[in-house]
């Protein structure tokens, strides 16, 4: 025991902290990739519906977030007959999700959130009394995440994002 044990403990703790340090560039890269995956999915939906029925274009916008500061992302602008709808990233850092994108139309706005694959509704856990052993366990594999629609009727819950639910959202926000 003594000094050598203390120094060994400090060195191990510091090494672990360095490994777990928040990597802003890695987070931003993952976020931009999740957005790319979402827009590719929506493009597949649009091709199923018929690109001659709904036109779209991608445009760059600036977002500003605390950790990422100012950065550019893509947004998708749709033209459904004479109605414009925008699919716009809002933020990577949101409470209860790993990101949020809004679908904005003339009559409503729908929210998409990036959540754990099996999530059915928002889940918040607060535990201030975590034992040291639990804090020191290795992180498990990252949970797979999916984009889901936030529904507020009758209570907040998530709806799987597919071509039919996407079509329903479009109908709601354009006022049909």
């Amino acid at each position: 025991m003594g000094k050598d044990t203390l120094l060994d403990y400090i060195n191990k703790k510091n090494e672990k902290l360095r490994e777990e340090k928040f990597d802003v560039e890695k987070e931003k890269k993952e976020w931009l990739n999740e957005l790319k995956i979402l827009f590719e999915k929506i493009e597949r939906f649009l091709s199923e519906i018929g690109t001659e029925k709904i036109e779209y274009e991608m445009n760059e916008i600036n977002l500003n977030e605390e950790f990422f500061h100012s950065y550019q992302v893509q947004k998708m602008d749709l033209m459904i007959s004479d109605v414009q709808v925008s699919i716009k990233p809002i933020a990577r850092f949101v409470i209860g999700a790993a990101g949020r994108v809004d679908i904005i139309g003339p009559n409503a706005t729908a929210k998409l959130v990036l959540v754990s694959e099996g999530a059915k509704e928002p889940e918040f856990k607060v535990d201030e009394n975590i034992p040291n052993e639990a804090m020191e366990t290795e992180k498990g594999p990252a949970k797979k995440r999916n984009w889901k629609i936030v529904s507020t009727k009758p209570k907040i819950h998530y709806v799987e994002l597919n071509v039919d639910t996407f079509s329903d959202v479009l109908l709601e926000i354009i006022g049909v």
Side-chain angles (χ1 to χ4, degrees):
M1 297 283 281
K3 180 180 98 175
D4 290 337
T5 304
L6 177 62
L7 289 173
D8 186 46
Y9 171 80
I10 292 169
N11 289 335
K12 286 180 183 176
K13 275 297 222 192
N14 286 341
E15 180 63 30
K16 187 171 183 166
L17 288 172
R18 276 192 294 278
E19 290 172 6
E20 294 176 357
K21 186 177 178 187
F22 180 73
D23 186 341
V24 172
E25 288 307 312
K26 180 181 173 199
E27 282 293 323
K28 186 190 289 186
K29 185 177 178 182
E30 287 176 8
W31 168 236
L32 294 174
N33 188 55
E34 292 289 359
L35 290 172
K36 180 179 179 235
I37 291 167
L38 172 64
F39 287 128
E40 287 171 351
K41 181 182 259 191
I42 291 172
E43 286 175 335
R44 286 192 303 274
F45 297 162
L46 295 174
S47 69
E48 282 185 51
I49 295 166
T51 50
E52 70 282 353
K53 305 285 186 198
I54 301 176
E55 296 177 16
Y56 72 94
E57 65 181 22
M58 303 300 292
N59 295 298
E60 284 197 353
I61 59 169
N62 283 317
L63 289 184
N64 196 348
E65 294 193 68
E66 182 177 355
F67 293 108
F68 293 165
H69 305 291
S70 182
Y71 65 104
Q72 290 192 324
V73 295
Q74 294 282 313
K75 77 169 187 153
M76 181 181 274
D77 290 316
L78 309 176
M79 281 303 291
I80 305 168
S81 296
D82 62 344
V83 180
Q84 183 170 352
V85 172
S86 291
I87 303 173
K88 179 182 173 192
I90 299 300
R92 158 59 184 90
F93 299 99
V94 295
I95 296 172
R100 184 178 126 199
V101 171
D102 285 358
I103 305 176
I104 306 161
N107 294 310
T109 297
K111 293 175 179 52
L112 300 176
V113 290
L114 185 59
V115 294
S116 296
E117 188 173 45
K120 304 278 186 226
E121 61 187 20
E123 185 177 298
F124 302 98
K125 293 181 181 177
V126 177
D127 188 351
E128 295 180 38
N129 299 312
I130 301 173
N132 285 340
E133 304 83 52
M135 290 174 61
E136 293 177 5
T137 58
E138 290 186 8
K139 292 180 180 178
K143 290 182 179 178
K144 187 169 178 168
R145 299 183 293 203
N146 283 333
W147 287 99
K148 297 191 179 190
I149 301 164
V150 177
S151 177
T152 57
K153 297 170 186 166
K155 66 175 190 155
I156 296 175
H157 65 281
Y158 301 135
V159 177
E160 294 296 325
L161 180 62
N162 58 47
V163 69
D164 290 322
T165 57
F166 179 72
S167 298
D168 289 341
V169 164
L170 291 179
L171 287 168
E172 181 181 332
I173 65 174
I174 63 175
V176 177

